[in-house]
Amino acid sequence: IIGAVDTAGWVVGPPYGALLVSQFQWRWIFFINIPLGLAVAAVAWFALRGLDVPNKTEKLDYAGAGLLTLALVLLCLALTGTSGSTENAFAAASASSGAGLSPQAPLLGILFLLAAMAFVLRERQAADPLVDLDLFRNVTFAAACLVNLLIGGALIAAVVDVPLFVNTVLLLARNLTPAQADIQSGVLLVVLTTSMVVAAICGGLLTERWGYRRPTLLGLILAAGGLFLLSRWGPPADDLAQIRDLILCGLGLGLVISPVATSIINNAPAEQRGTAMALVLFLRLLGMMTALAGLTTWGVYRFEELSRVVPLGGLTADFVAGISAQVMDEVFALAAVVCLVALFPAWLMRARLAPLVHAVRTLW
């Protein structure tokens, strides 16, 4: 239920985002979160005030948090590419400077590794570490964390590239207005995320019956199949085919949410379950963050490479739509490969023991 409610926010976001962009300035996307955030904070204050406060207090590991933040910032900067600094997309498409990783990427990568190692050393020495690294000695816990990391990368490819596909490929190929493209991208994202909401609840029910492994494997296979179908859209993408493919992709991604989160929490000691629950969200966002930086760099690089064969004056809407579709098809295909790679750690997620068997083994 928590996974479904979390994903349900993604259902509401695209249509009201499309509405704001089509009726107001894009800045309203950020303004609207100010009253929403204050309202949610007020509700949380009253809803959580009756909960017990733990007697044990631990110090927050500020040094560990700082080192982890530094490492993640360096990683994103290392994966973020560079392109021709020109005034518009058509000019950037044929910029002579090319695109790819920035010249500072090797240095940033080294600094990231140093910051990451410093974080690990800090967590080993801290009395109250930000993350107890001993949690990862549990095979099921570590495998589920890796699956969650990878699924975040696949998820961001779908969530970002579907509206990008509509606002570039379909906008140019079908002569849509920006407002029409915004609305259509919102509708397609609603199809994807609604499927995820339904599948998240189904994944929880299947986890109670099958354990962790089988729902996760099933979800990854469905997600890989859906993303593979997305990679075959091209400029003449059919509306019904798009909906079908997004439903399949959403069902697969949603099925993974419950078994992965449950296995992470259940395989952590009781006093570490708060950290374990935080790791569920952290690792998914980490996968989304790194994949967004890396795939965006790859996409810009491929776009500029494919467009070099045409002089600046020869770029047409149909040509730009075609190479944009090819680039995004490649990104969808890479996301499908990520789901297939996630099958290997998913296989290591051992099925949960039945309560009676677990009790007997505990007594024994």
Side-chain angles (χ1 to χ4, degrees):
I1 292 174
I2 291 175
V5 171
D6 178 32
T7 311
W10 298 30
V11 178
V12 180
Y16 96 70
L19 178 64
L20 289 174
V21 171
S22 61
Q23 300 297 323
F24 305 99
Q25 290 185 341
W26 59 267
R27 293 175 178 83
W28 277 95
I29 295 176
F30 302 97
F31 290 149
I32 196 67
N33 287 316
I34 297 175
L36 286 177
L38 294 174
V40 172
V43 172
W45 175 268
F46 289 101
L48 303 179
R49 60 180 177 175
L51 297 183
D52 294 334
V53 178
N55 294 325
K56 182 181 178 182
T57 57
E58 297 180 357
K59 295 181 180 179
L60 184 60
D61 183 12
Y62 291 104
L67 288 170
L68 181 58
T69 302
L70 176 62
L72 295 179
V73 169
L74 290 169
L75 176 60
C76 277
L77 291 176
L79 293 174
T80 300
T82 181
S83 62
S85 56
T86 48
E87 294 182 356
N88 56 64
F90 290 95
S94 61
S96 60
S97 60
L101 294 176
S102 67
Q104 293 79 25
L107 175 61
L108 292 169
I110 294 173
L111 293 175
F112 157 70
L113 292 175
L114 292 175
M117 289 188 292
F119 169 73
V120 172
L121 292 175
R122 166 64 189 178
E123 299 309 282
R124 287 297 185 191
Q125 299 172 358
D128 297 319
L130 187 70
V131 179
D132 187 354
L133 299 181
D134 288 337
L135 290 170
F136 294 94
R137 292 184 177 182
N138 183 297
V139 175
T140 301
F141 182 93
C145 286
L146 182 55
V147 171
N148 209 25
L149 179 72
L150 293 171
I151 208 66
L155 177 60
I156 197 64
V159 170
V160 170
D161 271 31
V162 167
L164 190 60
F165 184 93
V166 174
N167 282 277
T168 53
V169 178
L170 296 187
L171 183 144
L172 294 172
R174 300 181 182 179
N175 294 319
L176 300 177
T177 65
Q180 290 173 328
D182 290 335
I183 293 173
Q184 184 164 350
S185 62
V187 169
L188 291 179
L189 278 181
V190 167
V191 172
L192 173 69
T193 52
T194 302
S195 304
M196 290 177 61
V197 171
V198 175
I201 298 175
C202 295
L205 296 172
L206 291 176
T207 302
E208 294 177 352
R209 291 162 174 76
W210 292 355
Y212 311 130
R213 181 188 296 166
R214 285 190 283 176
T216 305
L217 293 174
L218 176 61
L220 290 171
I221 292 172
L222 291 177
L227 287 164
F228 174 75
L229 292 175
L230 263 62
S231 72
R232 300 172 64 85
W233 276 3
D238 179 74
D239 290 343
L240 291 178
Q242 289 178 335
I243 293 174
R244 175 203 64 196
D245 301 344
L246 288 172
I247 289 175
L248 180 61
C249 183
L251 290 176
L253 293 172
L255 274 177
V256 178
I257 292 175
S258 294
V260 168
T262 307
S263 61
I264 291 175
I265 296 169
N266 282 1
N267 283 277
E271 65 276 7
Q272 292 284 346
R273 283 179 184 163
T275 301
M277 187 64 208
L279 282 173
V280 172
L281 183 59
F282 168 79
L283 290 168
R284 192 182 308 158
L285 291 175
L286 177 60
M288 296 170 71
M289 177 186 71
T290 53
L292 181 60
L295 291 176
T296 300
T297 300
W298 165 258
V300 173
Y301 168 76
R302 288 289 294 148
F303 183 88
E304 295 194 7
E305 286 296 309
L306 293 171
S307 62
R308 286 181 188 282
V309 297
V310 178
L312 181 60
L315 285 175
T316 64
D318 289 340
F319 179 79
V320 173
I323 61 175
S324 298
Q326 180 177 341
V327 170
M328 278 175 271
D329 287 349
E330 292 175 1
V331 171
F332 287 135
L334 287 172
V337 171
V338 169
C339 291
L340 295 178
V341 171
L343 291 172
F344 294 97
W347 184 259
L348 299 177
M349 295 168 56
R350 289 173 290 191
R352 182 173 52 181
L353 297 174
L356 180 60
V357 176
H358 180 76
V360 170
R361 288 195 175 185
T362 301
L363 290 173
W364 178 260

